[in-house]
Amino acid sequence: MPLCSALYHSTYKQVISVCQSGVVTVWDFLTGKAVMQFDVTPNKHEAITAMSFDETQEGLVTISWDGKVRVWNFNSGSELAVHPVTLPNQVTGIVCTKNRMFVSTKYSKIIFDLDLVGDDSKLLEHQYLSDISSMDNHENTLVAASNNRNVVIWDASSGETLYWLNTSTSPQTHLAFRKSQGQIRSLSAKKKQQGLTAPGISLTGAKSEVEVNHLVTCLRARDNTCTTATLLTSADGYIYAWSVKSKGGLLGKFNAVNNEDASIIIMSPDVKGQTLLTGDSTGKICLWDIQKFGFNKQTDEGPFEDIDGWRVSLYAPPLLVSWQSHHEGIVSAVSDPTGEHIITAGLDHNVKLWTNTGCCRGLFGRNQWDASQPCKNLPKKNADQDDE
């Protein structure tokens, strides 16, 4: 069954994957063996299941076709909690922070701000968003991107809109004044029980190809200043670096694909903010050195682009390595904290372990390895060789 996503838990050294039939598999990262498997969807329904760790990293959050938010002990497969809210559409983003969970869904400008310890759940709605496609957080801010190319930044605690930007029309980060504040509404118990299902939209349906959306990801290891990019966005094969301060704006951009028909569908920085993993719609993985990317310095030598009087660096970060990972679409790519290994998951049903030089160690559940040992002698090979 095609996969929906995969996560890596650095403390337990486990990889968690979920397929479109709602089966979660926990893999031993060091050996490639499966150690736990459990079903998170009712009635074996085939559909997209969204998945994330909770804030403590001890619970696994899943949201399946029935719109229910469930929390699991992924070491035992036991269900820990079910949130009373029912979500209306396919989930596009989950952010867990400070006893709250923010969830965005397709075809919607609403973010569910769920209280995990009390009864103070809310709805964040903003007129600049139309079809929320991606979310992330940095420090105490929540960032949401819409497929209309707008990005809105909130204070995650108060729900106040801080900034907004449009990645296709302006290089500036705009301060959110009163008319740009959006709405905050209470999510009543009645609405939680009834759900907010929109007419004509279904949660069901498996995915046979990757979706191309407007993406955002935050560089959490960086300080948020007007000369430092802490937000990356992606559209049309380009990656854009933004400072989300009122005097910051767009600091740099570069073309991250070779094929003009390809689009970026995954951006995954390492925990130190030194490298960036990208995956495109053709299944190609790239590893970039971004240590010098996204900074506004007087010593920058260019090249530059002038956008409405705004100087934007066209410096492309060094490409460390690239390779073809999956030929039927990639849904997840993440590196371990050491940066030595990369885990990918695809629509070809496979979860794969790679070295940071593009050497394939094997497929989880099919091959075995000892990831604690050096991998210097592994030959570089294409993913096709492991699928035959």
Side-chain angles (χ1 to χ4, degrees), residues 158-170:
S158 67
E160 176 188 2
T161 305
L162 302 176
Y163 304 99
W164 68 275
L165 53 93
N166 184 290
T167 61
S168 63
T169 62
S170 172

Side-chain angles (χ1 to χ4, degrees), residues 323-336:
W323 68 91
Q324 192 70 32
S325 61
H326 301 263
H327 285 282
E328 293 184 32
I330 183 171
V331 297
S332 292
V334 62
S335 64
D336 71 341

Side-chain angles (χ1 to χ4, degrees), residues 34-64:
V35 296
M36 171 63 63
Q37 194 171 73
F38 55 98
D39 194 345
V40 298
T41 61
N43 305 323
K44 300 287 185 179
H45 212 103
E46 287 188 21
I48 304 302
T49 295
M51 181 173 67
S52 174
F53 293 123
D54 66 7
E55 183 190 7
T56 68
Q57 301 287 299
E58 294 296 324
L60 181 71
V61 178
T62 65
I63 307 174
S64 300

